[in-house]
Amino acid sequence: MDTKLSPNMRSTIKLKLSIDIQRLLLRGLKDKTPQIILVLRPMLWELIAKVLFLRSKEGSPPVFFEWAINGQTVKSGPEVNYKIENYKKFSTFTIDEIQRNDSANYTCIVRDSVGSDRQTVLLTINVQEGSPPLFFEWSRNGQQIKSSPDVNYKIENYKKFSTFTIDEIQRNDSANYTCIVRDSVGSDRQTVILYITALQLTPLYPRQQTEGSYFQITCTIQEGSPPLFFEWAINGQTVKSSPDVNYKMENYKMFSAFTIEKIMRSDSANYTCIVRDSVGSDRQSVLLTINEGSDPQFFEWSKNGQTIKSRSEANYKIDNSEGLSTFTIKSIDMSDVGNYTCVVSNEFGSNALKLTPLMSPRHQKQGSIFQMTCSLQEGSPPVFFEWAINGQTVKSSPDVNYKIENYKMFSTFTIEKIVRSDSANYTCIVRDSVGSDRQTVLLTINAPKLSSGLTHKNQTIGSKFLMSCNVEEGSLPVFFEWSKNGQTIKSSPDVNYKIDNFESHSTFTIKSIDMSDVGNYTCVVSNEFGSNSRSILLSINALKLTPLLSPRTQNEGSVFQVMCAIQEGSHPLFFEWAINGQTVKSSPDVNYKIENFEMFSTFTIRKISRSDSANYTCIVRDSVGSDRQSVLLTIHAPKLSQSGLTHKSTTIGSNIQLFCTLEEGSLPVFFEWSLNGQIIKPNPGVNYKIVNFETHSSLKFENIERRDAGNYSCLVNNGFGSDGQSVSLSIRVPKLGYSVNHKTQSEGSYYQVFCSVQEGSAPLFFEWTRNGQQIKSSPDVNTKIDNFERHSTLTIPKIDRRDAGNYTSPKLSYSGSTQKSQTIGSIFHISCSLEEGSLPVFFEWSRNGQTIKSSPDVNYRIDNTKSFSTLTIDEITRSDSANYTSPKLSKYLSHKSQSIGTDFQVFCTLESGSHPVFFEWSQNGRTLKPIPEANYKIESSKKFSTLTIDEITRSDSANYT
């Protein structure tokens, strides 16, 4: 037969201990009567009435015990089934075998020569089992404890019961006390909650003040209920207000004030406030030390709050001497109007406004009264008080739960019944005509708070359901209670669930759920300061797929395979696949293959290409419902910007530059150039130069030769694939360029015309004609001809009517189109090459009609050579002229349900928009950052970001954004 304690024991003992603890905390009662505590014993029904002496004067022996059943006095005898045994300090009432008719109120009365006390226990009959030998064990907050000389408790084990005694309890004895009993068959346990509740004052601190200053102590209740009775003592002697003393006492509902308007040296003393209610008392003391205005003393003057000092050019004079400072203006004018203030200070302080320091932080229980009294320590009326909560100024009104009351020398802030949301910083500000001071108190509520978690769980029939209730904050001990759909539930052999309570958490387990287990399960945790709860809705969902890893990033040409497997569900199952939301099937015309099996399905592409980047979805159905999982496949092969230029023509001896720019793809990338299919590389014997950068490459020719004509290709590759682009380069025969077709000038003006080679190779020979007749320079003519390597000039310093000619201006060619649309963050590059015209030439760039130049302060770079110029922006921004599209993110699943311990990963991919983009993750609206101690990992690249949790726990249930 298993050992079993009465389930009713918990509530009965809790009630009685709560009553007796208040009694044990009584101090200074006039009637020194003995106090009683009643203890229930397991295994049989027995009462022990034990006299607990608070002091040697309270309840002194001899004491006399008496017992009553339902108010009728009873005694031991052969004809009754109970036994009464009286000892020096306690009495026992025993029924060896209780029966149903023993249900009653049992009262123990104790008397001595001074007075009496009594305690009553209601006995409810429950079946109890177990037989000797029995072994008892005690624990406190789950930790085993034993009697020893070093502890304040005593454990005594008997044949059929065990007692646990604390002769004089203290505040730190609040705990969860558990009795465990074992026999040869099994064990049982019962727990008693010990709450310490007593009258308590807000702590006070020593004060140092100067002679003549204002002294006020406010004695405020932190815990306790009206009616309250205040009393004051100086150096242990009780005092009262009267016309013959220099102090004043004022008692209010929840506090008392002790005031001395102007303290003297003789007022140095210990001031004590004593408060009493119907149950007990408490006291707080303040030691006042008087500091005289001793040397050295320091004087400071100010005008309208601004410090002023003597100086030769000022119209005033400050003279400081021992104990005296004077401020003199010999002849005042309108500018001298103002408020002049003198402040004197020494090592003990100054004569400025000062508040009495307040105790901070304050830890209080939920539902208790919170009151602060803000008292003036130094300063004189009139003063003005103001209050703030977390830095925000507040005022009393019918809409708030606090009350502010201002008096001549102090102000009070009161909340009659605090709640968790009242945890805050409370600040009192006082002002007078000269300055201000403030004091702040941090209020913390020590009620328990549970960790957040899932609010809904879908599980299959037969699976295990586990809910954990974890205390995140709050004072121990805490006590747990479970309910289903609002009805309290407890563990027993007749139910399919199990409840396990620990020091700071509790678990609820159903090994194998069925349809009857569907419901709302709630865990309530409580301590002496308050309570908190958390609920989870359990529902049955039969079909579930194993989560798939998404996105998948692969190399071009690799194998792509997705396995869609059942995690939970029953036969028969029907699988279906979709690409970007469109249902697909296997056929000879497609590059993928779908294979369906009993519990899973596979989707395979043997050799992926860039066009296979898509969202692949597996859908499974059974007779009850369906589920789906998706995988985003991304192929990060590089892609080059298309300039639209496939052919380029130039002349022998000219310079040319070809560009190859990355538009998209993962870094790093590698560039390679070829001529007519043959790889080319820079070396000392060639006239070209290859320069590679992170995202672009250039091929530059100096002094083009006829052999340089051909098909030039740029190839870029990374770990995911490659891309290329080509341009054909041809060499043109010589051709002259002309500046203008016709020019009209006035007679006698200066005239010059240029003849430059547009196409052709050196050496070149120039010849000039006028009206078809060849002309040459000579002293006899008014024309002068100058020939250079690639151009010639004809000059007439002073023209007449016979002078005429044709002029041609340079003609430029541009690489690329007249309009480009790019994304933010990409590279913008444009070249301006001289196609026709004479050297030297000068290049100039403009943006929206405004001339621009290179400098360290701009994000662009201009490079000029002999015959071409380039404008480069390494990383374009929105302010750079272009067409932009706002970002749009690809959307995936909005809800995921996973098992504890599995890996969780979610992807955020840029579908459209301009670079650079910045990714940020949040959990339930709270920003997540990548830190080493977190259980998650955030990885962001150019176009997507991933959030990964390697092994999820229940607390990871949340909204991730």
Side-chain angles (χ1 to χ4, degrees), residues 773-816:
Q773 298 295 317
Q774 183 179 355
I775 56 173
K776 294 184 179 181
S777 290
S778 78
D780 302 328
V781 296
N782 69 334
T783 58
K784 181 184 178 185
I785 297 172
D786 294 295
N787 295 323
F788 300 92
E789 183 182 8
R790 297 190 65 82
H791 72 280
S792 179
T793 62
L794 170 66
T795 307
I796 305 174
K798 191 175 182 181
I799 62 173
D800 58 31
R801 289 183 185 276
R802 298 168 296 174
D803 299 319
N806 291 320
Y807 302 92
T808 304
S809 61
K811 182 181 179 184
L812 293 172
S813 66
Y814 296 89
S815 65

Side-chain angles (χ1 to χ4, degrees), residues 171 174-175 193-197 223 365-366 446-448 475-479 526-530:
R171 188 171 297 277
S174 279
I193 305 168
L194 174 57
Y195 287 129
I196 306 296
T197 56
E223 293 182 12
K365 69 174 70 174
Q366 205 167 6
N446 283 354
S475 301
L476 298 175
V478 292
F479 310 97
S526 62
N527 65 6
E528 59 178 314
F529 299 106

